[in-house]
Amino acid sequence: MLEQVQNDVRDALKAGERERVHALRLIANELQKAAKENGAEDVEVLQRERKRRLEAAEAYRDGGRDDRAQAEEREAEIIASYLPQQLSDEELGAIVGDAVAESGASSPKEMGKVMALVMPKVKGRADGKRVSTVVREALSS
């Protein structure tokens, strides 16, 4: 992943895409840091950085800085382009349904059992917040 990002930095530099270069360099730095410090998986690093950008965009928007918010959102889009394709609602619902059946969970109090089964299966392809919402709905009905 890091090598791909570094190649993309070179291409963006040649094309004169300053904003893209900035975002890609941030990604490359975070991937290198994670590899040295804790060996975190590339997908985890990318998800974390994307989430940070979206949170920053929201904070800028709340502060009346729409220009900065849009820049953060563009960076989040660039980061998202390196993430695996996200699961559709139907695919996620099927995985959650299988996990509910496998765990025998029948109430929202048993959400942890289901989440423990689902999260390894959707790693990098569905946000935890989205998964918990689908699990909660499945256990509430």
Side-chain angles (χ1 to χ4, degrees), residues 14-31:
K14 289 177 185 175
E17 299 171 322
R18 292 177 46 174
E19 187 174 59
R20 185 169 173 76
V21 169
H22 175 72
L24 292 172
R25 282 185 173 157
L26 288 173
I27 295 168
N29 287 340
E30 290 300 322
L31 290 171

Side-chain angles (χ1 to χ4, degrees), residues 87-100:
L87 291 170
S88 69
D89 291 340
E90 294 78 27
E91 292 169 317
L92 181 56
I95 292 170
V96 168
D98 292 346
V100 168

Side-chain angles (χ1 to χ4, degrees), residues 56-74:
E58 187 176 324
Y60 279 126
R61 193 158 269 111
D62 290 345
R65 296 285 317 269
D66 283 343
D67 57 327
R68 289 297 309 145
Q70 290 172 359
E72 293 290 339
E73 288 168 346
R74 285 191 298 271

Side-chain angles (χ1 to χ4, degrees), residues 38-87:
N38 59 9
E41 289 188 33
D42 293 346
V43 171
E44 292 173 17
V45 173
L46 293 172
Q47 286 177 318
R48 182 184 66 231
E49 291 304 310
R50 180 179 174 275
K51 183 176 179 183
R52 284 182 182 171
R53 297 309 178 287
L54 293 174
E55 289 171 351
E58 187 176 324
Y60 279 126
R61 193 158 269 111
D62 290 345
R65 296 285 317 269
D66 283 343
D67 57 327
R68 289 297 309 145
Q70 290 172 359
E72 293 290 339
E73 288 168 346
R74 285 191 298 271
E75 283 187 16
E77 288 175 20
I78 292 168
I79 294 168
S81 71
Y82 290 92
L83 288 168
Q85 184 170 347
Q86 297 294 293
L87 291 170

